[in-house]
Amino acid sequence: QVKLQESGPGLVKPSGTLSLTCAVSGGSLSSSNWWTWVRQPPGKGLEWIGEIYHSGTTNNNPSLKSRVTISIDKSENQFSLKLTSMTAADTAVYYCARGKGTRPYYYSGLDVWGQGTTVTVSS
Amino acid sequence: SFELTQPPSVSVSPGQTASITCSGDKLGDKYVCWYQLKPGQSPVVVMYQDNKRPSGIPERFSGSNSGSTATLTISETQAVDEADYFCQAWDSKTEVFGGGTKLTVL
């Protein structure tokens, strides 16, 4: 059974950089899945941040422009998120998730999620 | 940019059928997923590829997608179904979520 666990700082200063890691257990990052980051600001909906395939191919949310970097470390079985130029608007619960399969015909959605980690942007 | 629109709230009586819609330009040409999110928990996928239920999701959950609207239908709604529901679709190498619908069972 695949499990995901986010780790990282709970507090980031304005203009700083957020670095989060998602440890994957019970499965391999080399499987045909998309490893994904999603966030939920307080009182708001879900926002897709981006994803990475085991090949290193990434897709990111255009609204976050060049602030997002997603990387993968298959030797450690983890993937990571870096988000630069943090502002209060980036305060959210950040989730890592597995996007199972490949699009369009073999994708079955984000089927495994981490528990989420709360990130607050404040000085 | 591609957007998905959901009603902010839907109310249903226990045992009745709840329908949650998700609208987007030519949405019927895309596959839609639905997620259930309860307070303090992580999201759970309840529908993928428009109308496929993951294992463990009750049969009373069903989905459809045609034209510009996808619909998640919950038959014989129970109190345990009270949650926020989000639709999701893929467009231009981006996953897009709808704004979410709060389902109230009263």
Side-chain angles (χ1 to χ4, degrees):
Chain A
Q1 180 184 0
V2 174
K3 292 186 178 181
L4 307 181
Q5 178 67 59
E6 305 91 349
S7 61
L11 182 65
V12 177
K13 289 185 177 356
S15 78
T17 295
L18 171 67
S19 294
L20 295 177
T21 296
C22 181
V24 179
S25 59
S28 171
L29 282 174
S30 297
S31 53
S32 298
N33 300 306
W34 286 90
W35 304 97
T36 304
W37 290 96
V38 175
R39 68 182 182 180
Q40 184 181 29
K44 296 188 177 182
L46 299 175
E47 180 181 24
W48 182 81
I49 298 171
E51 63 184 9
I52 189 165
Y53 200 62
H54 62 76
S55 62
T57 298
T58 58
N59 295 305
N60 296 331
N61 191 326
S63 70
L64 296 172
K65 298 182 181 177
S66 58
R67 298 175 53 209
V68 172
T69 301
I70 298 175
S71 57
I72 194 166
D73 185 340
K74 286 180 277 187
S75 66
E76 294 290 332
N77 224 37
Q78 63 187 28
F79 62 105
S80 301
L81 168 70
K82 283 193 176 180
L83 184 61
T84 62
S85 304
M86 295 282 283
T87 71
D90 296 309
T91 293
V93 176
Y94 285 75
Y95 297 97
C96 59
R98 182 181 75 173
K100 186 169 175 60
T102 55
R103 301 179 184 91
Y105 302 113
Y106 305 104
Y107 188 73
S108 50
L110 299 169
D111 69 329
V112 181
W113 294 69
Q115 65 184 24
T117 186
T118 299
V119 175
T120 302
V121 181
S122 175
S123 56
Chain B
S1 62
F2 183 72
E3 295 183 352
L4 294 174
T5 301
Q6 298 181 235
S9 62
V10 168
S11 297
V12 64
S13 299
Q16 299 303 303
T17 296
S19 295
I20 301 172
T21 58
C22 173
S23 299
D25 185 42
K26 297 180 181 179
L27 185 58
D29 293 341
K30 310 176 192 300
Y31 278 133
V32 173
C33 295
W34 289 90
Y35 298 88
Q36 177 191 70
L37 181 55
K38 295 181 179 179
Q41 299 184 19
S42 299
V44 174
V45 59
V46 296
M47 202 66 56
Y48 66 94
Q49 289 184 9
D50 298 339
N51 56 18
K52 294 181 171 62
R53 270 181 301 105
S55 61
I57 301 302
E59 289 185 9
R60 50 203 180 75
F61 284 80
S62 62
S64 64
N65 184 19
S66 180
S68 62
T69 303
T71 303
L72 176 70
T73 302
I74 309 172
S75 305
E76 300 178 343
T77 307
Q78 302 177 5
V80 70
D81 300 326
E82 187 163 286
D84 292 328
Y85 290 85
F86 296 87
C87 58
Q88 177 201 41
W90 175 254
D91 180 81
S92 302
K93 295 189 176 182
T94 302
E95 284 288 1
V96 178
F97 282 104
T101 298
K102 182 176 183 59
L103 177 67
T104 301
V105 182
L106 40 69

